[in-house]
Each structure stands twice: as C-alpha cells, then as structure tokens.
Amino acid sequence: MKRGLEKFYELVEAFESLPTIGKKSALRLAYHVVMNDNYCGIKIAHSIENALKNITKCVKCGSMSEHEICEFCLDDSRDSTKICIVQSAKDIFIIEDSKQFDGKYFVIEELDQEAIDALTNFVDDNEVEMVLFAITPSIANDAFILYIEDKLKNKDIRFSKIAQGVPTGVSLENVDILSLSKAIQSRVEI
C-alpha cells in the first residue's frame, strides 16, 4: 500500500513526531495539506522555516525572542522588581494570557551553575524584590525551588509559588492525591 506514496508517509511520520499527535491525527493532517489545501501546507512549511530561522532565546531571561533581547525584558512598563521563574518559555504565554503578572520572567530549563549565575545576574541587574515560581508541582520541583531559594538567600527577596490544589469545576474523584493534599494544607478560612 505504501508503494509510490513514500513522500506522503514521510509527511505522516513528520506530523506524528509532534507532541500530542497520534497516527490517526497525523494521517488526517497529511491528507488535508496534500489533497484538500495545498496552500495551507505551503503556509505551514513557510511559517516553520521562518520560525526556525528567526526565533532564539533571549540573552537575558531565556524567553523566546526574534531579537537578542525579548519583548518582556525591553518593556519598561513591566515591574522589574518582580520576576516569575518558569521551566519552559512556553509557560510564559499561559501566564501572560491570565493577565495576572506584570513583572519580568526568567526561564530555567536545566538547573546548572550557568543558569544560577545568569539568574543571580538578572536579579542584581533588575533589583528584584519578589520571585514567583510558576512551575508544575512535584517533589522534584519543590527541591528545585529550595535550591534556588538557597542560592539567593543573601539577597533581600520574598519568594512565593503559584497556588496548588483542586481545580475549579473538577470533582474530588478526578483529583490526584498530591493536589488534594496541597489543597487541604493550603486551605483558607471563610
């Protein structure tokens, strides 16, 4: 069946290699761009090529940028005394959509001495007074937070992390035990 359709199946495999795209979705996407909408396929290919050529990491904070320094670091209207530490630049987009944070960001994908040195310089350069950790709750990430707090302990900084617990609209039977435990520990009086 694949005879003569090697290029099509290469495209299916390429789509399938993307996160959250299974075999059936990859087949539908490949079929759509090849048979139904060639322009869509060309537009996607062109957008991918442009993104790969032009997007890099900000030299200051590690966020995505089309320039040496990202829009968040250049934005004077943002409160530079507050930073939000994330583990992936894509998390910044989610936080920005919430419109609940007006400070700057710092991305630590890998916790090594280079990242700690860059964070320390960023904290000093921005005269940071508050650090918000916006990372996925886990025991390993709790250790990640403690390690960074320890490395910045000689600075006058308040630390906080995003709240954890039971999401709105989710029944208790669908909540994992760690989230439920955190929700009970972090309960508020009413």
Side-chain angles (χ1 to χ4, degrees), residues 106 113-126 151-152 154-155:
F106 194 85
Q113 191 57 49
E114 184 180 337
I116 294 297
D117 291 345
L119 174 61
T120 303
N121 290 336
F122 192 83
V123 165
D124 291 341
D125 291 346
N126 290 287
K151 292 298 181 183
L152 298 176
N154 61 341
K155 312 224 180 267

Side-chain angles (χ1 to χ4, degrees), residues 102-121:
D102 66 345
K104 298 202 176 188
Y105 295 95
F106 194 85
V107 180
I108 300 180
E109 292 176 341
E110 200 171 313
L111 194 55
D112 56 19
Q113 191 57 49
E114 184 180 337
I116 294 297
D117 291 345
L119 174 61
T120 303
N121 290 336

Side-chain angles (χ1 to χ4, degrees), residues 94-160:
I94 296 165
I95 295 167
E96 282 296 295
D97 282 347
S98 77
K99 297 181 178 16
Q100 298 299 308
F101 184 74
D102 66 345
K104 298 202 176 188
Y105 295 95
F106 194 85
V107 180
I108 300 180
E109 292 176 341
E110 200 171 313
L111 194 55
D112 56 19
Q113 191 57 49
E114 184 180 337
I116 294 297
D117 291 345
L119 174 61
T120 303
N121 290 336
F122 192 83
V123 165
D124 291 341
D125 291 346
N126 290 287
E127 299 176 0
V128 171
E129 299 169 0
M130 193 277 294
V131 171
L132 169 65
F133 292 96
I135 59 177
T136 305
S138 73
I139 292 171
N141 284 340
D142 284 346
F144 173 92
I145 291 169
L146 289 172
Y147 183 77
I148 292 172
E149 286 178 339
D150 183 61
K151 292 298 181 183
L152 298 176
K153 69 182 175 196
N154 61 341
K155 312 224 180 267
D156 188 22
I157 297 175
R158 294 181 332 271
F159 295 97
S160 62

Side-chain angles (χ1 to χ4, degrees), residues 1-2 5 8-17 21-36:
M1 180 170 154
K2 290 186 180 181
L5 290 176
F8 178 75
Y9 284 102
E10 284 176 17
L11 180 59
V12 171
E13 287 178 18
F15 278 123
E16 195 175 4
S17 69
I21 304 292
K23 183 79 170 174
K24 288 181 182 179
S25 294
L27 189 63
R28 277 193 305 274
L29 291 168
Y31 185 84
H32 178 76
V33 298
V34 170
M35 300 303 292
N36 295 338

